[in-house]
Amino acid sequence: MTDLSAIKPRAMTMEAHSPGLALRSLVIGLTAFLTVVDLFATQAILPSLTRHYGVTPAAMGFAVNASTFGMAVAGLVVGFFSPHIDRRTGILLSLTLLAIPTGLLASAPAALRVAQGLCMASAFAPTLAHLGEQCSSTDAGSAFAAYITGNVASNLVGRVVSAAVADGLGLAWNFYFFAGLNLAGALLVYFTIQRVRPMHAMMPAASPFSATIAHWRDRRLRAAFGIGFCILFAFIGTFTFVNFVLVRPPLSLGMMDLGLVYLVFLPSVVTTLLAGKAAARLGTRPTIWSALAVAGLGLPLMLAPHLGAVLAGMVLVGIGTFFAQAAATGFVGQAATDNRGIASGTYLACYFCGGLVGTAVLGRLFDAFGWQACVAGVGVALALAALLTFALKR
C-alpha cells in the first residue's frame, strides 16, 4: 500500500491542521495535473486537426476524445483488480507508459488516443482509491477537491500550451512536449509517494465480482455513477464543439487566441478547491444541485453572437461541472465502505463513458442541426444529473 500523504520528510501526517497539509494538497493536485494533462489538450487545436485531416467536426471530435474509451475500459479493469495492485507501482508504471503513445501520436494514427486513455485511467483510478482509503472522513473532501483541482488546471494549461506549441513549432512537437510532461509526472510520483505497510482494514471482504454487484445494488452509488456519466457528457459536449463556434464568423478567432480562450478555466481552479468544504457543510445534494444550476446558467450565454457572452457562459459551465464532479467523486470515496478501488474504478468507467457517448451524440447533433441543438443536449444531461442527485443521501 502507498500513502500520498507520506511526502518527504517522513514525519508528515494526514491531520487536517498539519503544517504539511498545503504541500500534500499541492502534490495531489500536481499528480492529477500530470496524469490527465493530455486528455483535453488537443481540443484547443481541433479546428487545425480537422482541416489537416479533411474530416467533419464530429469525426475529429470523436477521434481526439477516443481516450475516454480507453479510460472507461481501464477504470473497470483496474478497479476490478484494485485490491491486488500496489498503488505506488501502478501509478508510477502507468505514467511512464503514458509517454509512449503520447510521443507516437506525432506520426501515428489517432487510435493511439485509446492507449493514452488506458494509461491515464490506470494512474487515475488507484489514486482516487488511495485517497478514499487513507484520508479521514473530515479530510477526504479536501483531498478529492485537490485532485479534481489538478484536473481543472490540466484543462486550462493543457489547452493553452497545446495551442502555443502547435502554433509555434507545429503539431508534432505538441505531442513530444506532452510526452515529456507525462515523464515528469512519473518522476513526481517516484520522489514523493512512499511505500507503507498495508492496512488490514483495506483487505477485500468479498470477491471483486461480488463487490462490483454490491456497488451497483447500492442506490446511492448507482446514482453517483450516473451523475458522473452526465457530467462528462455535458462537459465534453460544451468544450469540444464550442471550438468550432469560436473560429467561425462572427467570432473568427485564430489558433493562439483559441488557446487563450481557455483561461476561462482559471476561476474553476479556485472554486473547485472549495467543493470538499461545501459538501461537508451543506451536504452533497445541495452542493451538486447548486453546481449544476451554475452550469445551466451558462448555456444560454454561449448561444449569443458576442465573444464576451460566450466566454462568460464557458466560465459558468466550467465552474459548475468541475464543482459537481469534485462533490460526486468525494461522495463515492466515502459511500463505498468496502472495496473503494472497485467503486472508484466503476465511477471512472461511467464518467468516461459519458464523455465518449457525449462526443458521439452531441457531435451528430452539431453536424446535423448546429450549435443550438448541441447546447440543448448539454442541458438535458445537466437536468438528468440533477434528478439523479435526489438519491445521494448519507
Side-chain angles (χ1 to χ4, degrees):
M1 212 44 144
T2 59
D3 191 349
L4 266 178
S5 64
I7 303 165
K8 298 175 182 178
R10 291 178 181 270
M12 192 169 296
T13 67
M14 292 289 290
E15 295 300 321
H17 300 292
S18 165
L21 178 62
L23 180 58
R24 186 207 66 178
S25 296
L26 177 63
V27 171
I28 291 173
L30 278 175
T31 302
F33 174 87
L34 295 169
T35 299
V36 295
V37 70
D38 309 271
L39 185 57
F40 298 122
T42 48
Q43 287 187 345
I45 56 175
L46 264 176
S48 297
L49 291 171
T50 301
R51 288 193 300 269
H52 180 77
Y53 289 102
V55 295
T56 65
M60 184 51 63
F62 188 82
V64 301
N65 288 313
S67 54
T68 57
F69 174 75
M71 295 193 80
V73 172
L76 282 176
V77 174
V78 174
F80 196 80
F81 293 104
S82 178
H84 309 290
I85 296 175
D86 177 83
R87 305 295 193 232
R88 180 179 188 271
T89 302
I91 299 168
L92 183 61
L93 183 62
S94 298
L95 288 174
T96 303
L97 293 177
L98 175 57
I100 298 174
T102 302
L104 289 176
L105 275 168
S107 57
L112 283 171
R113 288 285 286 173
V114 177
Q116 277 187 307
L118 290 169
C119 295
M120 281 187 271
S122 297
F124 204 108
T127 307
L128 290 182
H130 167 75
L131 294 178
E133 293 164 350
Q134 293 291 331
C135 296
S136 66
S137 58
T138 57
D139 206 22
S142 297
F144 282 111
Y147 197 76
I148 301 303
T149 299
N151 189 344
V152 178
S154 74
N155 277 269
L156 164 60
V157 178
R159 285 174 166 91
V160 173
V161 170
S162 179
V165 174
D167 192 38
L169 300 175
L171 291 175
W173 277 102
N174 173 72
F175 297 110
Y176 297 144
F177 180 82
F178 281 95
L181 289 181
N182 300 147
L183 293 176
L187 288 173
L188 176 67
V189 170
Y190 181 81
F191 286 111
T192 60
I193 300 180
Q194 300 175 11
R195 192 184 302 272
V196 298
R197 183 177 299 176
M199 296 175 62
H200 177 71
M202 294 174 199
M203 296 304 291
S207 69
F209 181 77
S210 299
T212 302
I213 297 299
H215 288 152
W216 277 104
R217 286 177 176 172
D218 188 321
R219 182 168 176 261
R220 300 174 306 156
L221 288 176
R222 192 166 63 243
F225 299 157
I227 291 168
F229 180 97
C230 293
I231 288 173
L232 196 61
F233 184 105
F235 178 86
I236 279 194
T238 301
F239 292 100
T240 295
F241 300 105
V242 73
N243 294 284
F244 298 101
V245 175
L246 292 169
V247 298
R248 294 173 180 173
L251 302 179
S252 304
L253 298 185
M255 182 184 294
M256 193 59 229
D257 292 330
L258 186 60
L260 292 174
V261 157
Y262 285 98
L263 290 171
V264 295
F265 287 128
L266 200 54
S268 300
V269 175
V270 178
T271 57
T272 305
L273 280 171
L274 305 175
K277 293 181 180 179
R281 177 171 295 185
L282 304 176
T284 299
R285 294 194 298 173
T287 299
I288 295 180
W289 280 328
S290 299
L292 294 173
V294 170
L297 289 174
L299 298 184
L301 293 175
M302 291 192 299
L303 297 175
H306 307 291
L307 181 60
V310 175
L311 294 180
M314 293 171 70
V315 168
L316 292 176
V317 172
I319 290 173
T321 53
F322 278 118
F323 209 91
Q325 159 71 343
T329 304
F331 179 84
V332 171
Q334 294 301 299
T337 56
D338 193 17
N339 290 286
R340 286 193 173 103
I342 295 175
S344 295
T346 304
Y347 176 82
L348 286 178
C350 294
Y351 178 72
F352 289 112
C353 273
L356 187 66
V357 174
T359 302
V361 172
L362 297 177
R364 292 282 186 177
L365 287 176
F366 184 84
D367 280 352
F369 304 106
W371 177 232
Q372 290 82 0
C374 184
V375 170
V378 171
V380 171
L382 294 176
L384 181 57
L387 290 175
L388 290 170
T389 303
F390 278 102
L392 302 188
K393 297 180 180 180
R394 288 188 180 276

